[in-house]
Amino acid sequence: MTDAERFDAHVAAEGKVEPKDWMPDAYRKTLVRQISQHAHSEIIGMQPEGNWLTRAPSLRRKAILLAKVQDEAGHGLYLYAAAETLGTSRDQMVDDLIAGKAKYSSIFNYPTPTWADIGAIGWLVDGAAIMNQVPLCRCSYGPYARAMKRICKEESFHQRQGYDILVSLCRGSDRQKQMAQDALDRWWWPSLMMFGPNDDASPNSAQSMKWRIKRFSNDELRQRFVDATVPQAHFLGLRIPDDELRYDDTAGHWRFGEPDWEEFHRVLAGDGPMNAHRIEHRRRARDDGQWVLDAASAHAAKRRRPAA
Ligand code: 3HC
């Protein structure tokens, strides 16, 4: 048996892979790609919600949102640390992001014009993230699976707080309910795009599923998300912005229309409403915060030096 054959048999038998184990270069490469992009998404994802920290409608909502945004920073930390076990560095990953060589989730390139958008992000974006991240807790690569277990523990709070914002708005004035509907109209389709292109247009899925990185296909997880979320929208008394939406009694699934894949690829190519703003903000944070990193590294180096 070759190393590659032994490796494939190991992961096919649900074996875990640890940093010091032999692994195909392509396995390492696709994990650095996926985990670093996941980490970038967590950190960039702090911007749209951070935009409302100073404008939350009450001290309670502000404290909840602050806790959530801080959680996302921690999620990014876990994921960058998991990616670094594959031989890349934090600096390299962030440089690749800012240079446009690495992606982050398309969903974070949309604006948050009202407080209802913060509710829609928690409910839909974190709801989609939960659907996609729970299977990753069983990923074949040990550090990624362990990071996901920690992250998933916090995601359900993220989704609940977003849904709770929309429950309040939908039980409020007509204007507040309309704000919630407008936010659902803005975030519904971009949330479906979070699961990636259709399976027949996904270049990475087949191999990622063979290597037990991905447990379910993009379309399977998208369908699960729609089936779980449509009844929640109906409970709020909101309309899903999809004229093709209908329940298929025989299959037991909600049938839905096709996302605008041209918009998806346009946003991935950097032409979304907020792409330039998000990357410029991330570049400024890296550059303006460099002195903190330098000071911390100098202090750590001094402590390592033997006393004279
Ligand atoms: N945004 C940006 N890029 C996307 C994308 C999206 N929504 N969906 C797919 N892509 C990219 C892929 O990265 C890939 O490009 P690449 O080869 O240059 O990396 C290309 O489109 C083709 O997609 P594939 O389906 O072939 O790629 P994958 O097999 O990697 O599947 C994925 C895409 C489902 C996003 C997978 O990478 C994944 O599960 N990643 C981990 C989860 C993640 O990153 N979630 C992002 C949101 S994190 C979040 O929401 C935090 C929450 O707390 C708010």
Side-chain angles (χ1 to χ4, degrees), residues 30 33-35 37-39 41-42 45 49 68 72 75 101 103-108 121 125-126 128-129 132-133 136 144 148 151 155 158 190 193-198 201-206 208 214 218 221 264-265 268:
T30 205
R33 172 189 66 84
Q34 176 165 331
I35 303 173
Q37 292 180 164
H38 196 164
S41 303
E42 301 280 2
E49 291 173 311
K68 185 202 189 281
E72 307 299 8
H75 296 176
K101 291 182 199 153
K103 295 181 171 74
Y104 57 94
S105 190
S106 51
I107 192 74
F108 297 121
I121 287 178
V125 174
D126 287 81
N132 159 282
Q133 292 177 160
L136 286 170
Y144 194 23
M148 287 321 307
I151 287 171
E155 290 294 3
H158 294 177
M193 295 176 198
M194 281 178 69
F195 294 94
N198 290 128
S202 164
N204 298 298
S205 282
S208 286
K214 253 184 183 178
N218 297 355
L221 290 179
F264 172 74
H265 288 292
L268 258 59

Side-chain angles (χ1 to χ4, degrees), residues 104-265:
Y104 57 94
S105 190
S106 51
I107 192 74
F108 297 121
N109 288 310
Y110 293 86
T112 48
T114 74
W115 175 249
D117 292 85
I118 301 306
I121 287 178
W123 171 39
L124 298 173
V125 174
D126 287 81
I130 290 170
M131 210 57 88
N132 159 282
Q133 292 177 160
V134 167
L136 286 170
C137 295
R138 293 187 294 122
C139 167
S140 56
Y141 188 58
Y144 194 23
R146 291 189 288 273
M148 287 321 307
K149 287 193 178 98
R150 293 188 66 175
I151 287 171
C152 285
K153 286 196 177 93
E154 292 168 342
E155 290 294 3
S156 41
F157 146 63
H158 294 177
Q159 193 215 24
R160 292 303 305 162
Q161 64 83 38
Y163 193 67
D164 186 51
I165 288 172
L166 293 182
V167 167
S168 302
L169 290 172
C170 290
R171 289 177 179 165
S173 65
D174 291 349
R175 265 192 71 207
Q176 286 173 321
K177 182 151 187 188
Q178 188 55 51
M179 261 172 72
Q181 182 62 61
D182 294 345
L184 175 54
D185 293 349
R186 277 193 291 275
W187 290 90
W188 175 253
W189 290 108
S191 298
L192 296 197
M193 295 176 198
M194 281 178 69
F195 294 94
N198 290 128
D199 295 346
D200 56 7
S202 164
N204 298 298
S205 282
Q207 184 59 66
S208 286
M209 290 181 79
K210 190 165 165 261
W211 276 333
R212 303 290 192 277
I213 295 170
K214 253 184 183 178
R215 292 289 178 165
F216 302 98
S217 75
N218 297 355
D219 287 333
E220 280 176 300
L221 290 179
R222 197 178 351 259
Q223 181 65 67
R224 287 189 182 188
F225 172 72
V226 172
D227 287 344
T229 310
V230 169
Q232 293 169 349
H234 291 167
F235 177 79
L236 291 172
L238 297 179
R239 179 189 170 278
I240 298 276
D242 176 358
D243 296 335
E244 293 181 47
L245 188 73
R246 61 174 181 77
Y247 192 70
D248 178 341
D249 270 314
T250 320
H253 291 299
W254 284 93
R255 298 299 176 213
F256 54 97
E258 219 26 57
D260 177 349
W261 295 116
E262 273 181 35
E263 173 185 331
F264 172 74
H265 288 292

